[in-house]
């Protein structure tokens, strides 16, 4: 019996895979649990159309993410912090501060998507950070910590 998986099932396949299984497994477990639907001709056509539309949307998301990553690589963001006389920062620079600085530069990024890749930011100077743009696409940018 052929079925179309709606969710990932261990040792069987990923979501949107068309697989063959025994009738009892499909009718007694997979379909009632909502893991799959029967792969009738109409369901296969609808599934193919859904995959085609999803691929088109995915291509748009990937293009937007690559454009954002390219834009980020050209940016140098300045973050100000309170410092001691010997140049050490009180506290540390946070991803929220970087998100606000990027917004001031015209790039909207959620603070949860920013990762500071440089080891601890404790002094004035230039550091590196990374933004997760979309799935596996990441953009890197530099930020400079200056005294208030």
């Amino acid at each position: 019996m052929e079925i179309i998986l709606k969710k990932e099932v261990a040792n069987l396949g990923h979501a949107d895979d068309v697989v063959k299984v025994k009738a009892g497994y499909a009718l007694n477990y997979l379909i009632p649990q909502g893991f799959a639907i029967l792969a009738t001709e109409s369901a296969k056509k609808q599934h193919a159309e859904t995959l085609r539309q999803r691929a088109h949307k995915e291509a748009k998301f990937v293009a937007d993410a690559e454009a954002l990553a390219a834009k980020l690589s050209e940016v140098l963001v300045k973050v100000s912090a309170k410092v001691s006389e010997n140049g050490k920062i009180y506290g540390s620079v946070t991803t929220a501060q970087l998100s606000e600085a990027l917004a001031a530069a015209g790039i909207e990024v959620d603070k949860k998507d920013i990762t500071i890749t440089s080891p601890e930011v404790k002094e004035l100077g230039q550091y590196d950070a990374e933004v997760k743009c979309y799935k596996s696409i990441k953009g890197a940018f530099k930020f400079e910590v200056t005294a208030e």
Side-chain angles (χ1 to χ4, degrees), residues 115-136:
T115 305
I116 299 173
T117 55
S118 298
E120 295 190 23
V121 180
K122 296 290 183 185
E123 298 178 350
L124 299 177
Q126 263 193 12
Y127 299 95
D128 297 320
E130 193 174 74
V131 175
K132 180 181 176 187
C133 300
Y134 181 74
K135 291 187 179 178
S136 64

Side-chain angles (χ1 to χ4, degrees), residues 68 72 75-81 89 92-121 123 125-132 139-146:
L68 176 63
L72 281 169
V75 172
L76 174 66
V77 178
K78 294 193 179 200
V79 178
S80 60
I89 297 173
S92 64
V93 175
T94 64
T95 57
Q97 290 172 310
L98 292 176
S99 177
E100 291 172 8
L102 284 170
I107 302 172
E108 292 295 325
V109 176
D110 191 8
K111 68 180 182 180
K112 293 180 240 165
D113 295 333
I114 299 174
T115 305
I116 299 173
T117 55
S118 298
E120 295 190 23
V121 180
E123 298 178 350
Q126 263 193 12
Y127 299 95
D128 297 320
E130 193 174 74
V131 175
K132 180 181 176 187
F141 69 97
K142 293 191 179 293
F143 67 95
E144 184 176 1
V145 181
T146 59

Side-chain angles (χ1 to χ4, degrees), residues 45-101:
K45 287 179 184 176
Q46 186 177 7
H47 177 66
E49 179 64 21
T50 302
L51 289 178
R52 189 183 67 75
Q53 288 177 0
R54 190 175 300 149
H56 180 70
K57 288 180 184 176
E58 182 82 12
K60 183 183 180 319
F61 288 141
V62 168
D64 291 346
E66 288 173 347
L68 176 63
K71 191 174 181 183
L72 281 169
S73 66
E74 301 169 359
V75 172
L76 174 66
V77 178
K78 294 193 179 200
V79 178
S80 60
K82 290 184 180 180
V83 293
S84 65
E85 292 142 11
N86 59 359
K88 296 237 183 218
I89 297 173
Y90 293 119
S92 64
V93 175
T94 64
T95 57
Q97 290 172 310
L98 292 176
S99 177
E100 291 172 8

Side-chain angles (χ1 to χ4, degrees), residues 1-22 25-26 29-31 35-36:
M1 172 179 270
E2 268 192 329
I3 57 169
I4 300 171
L5 294 176
K6 292 167 68 177
K7 298 178 183 175
E8 183 174 339
V9 179
N11 299 325
L12 189 58
H14 299 284
D16 296 323
D17 285 351
V18 178
V19 295
K20 284 189 175 190
V21 295
K22 294 196 177 207
Y25 185 45
Y29 179 69
L30 294 173
I31 294 172
F35 292 129

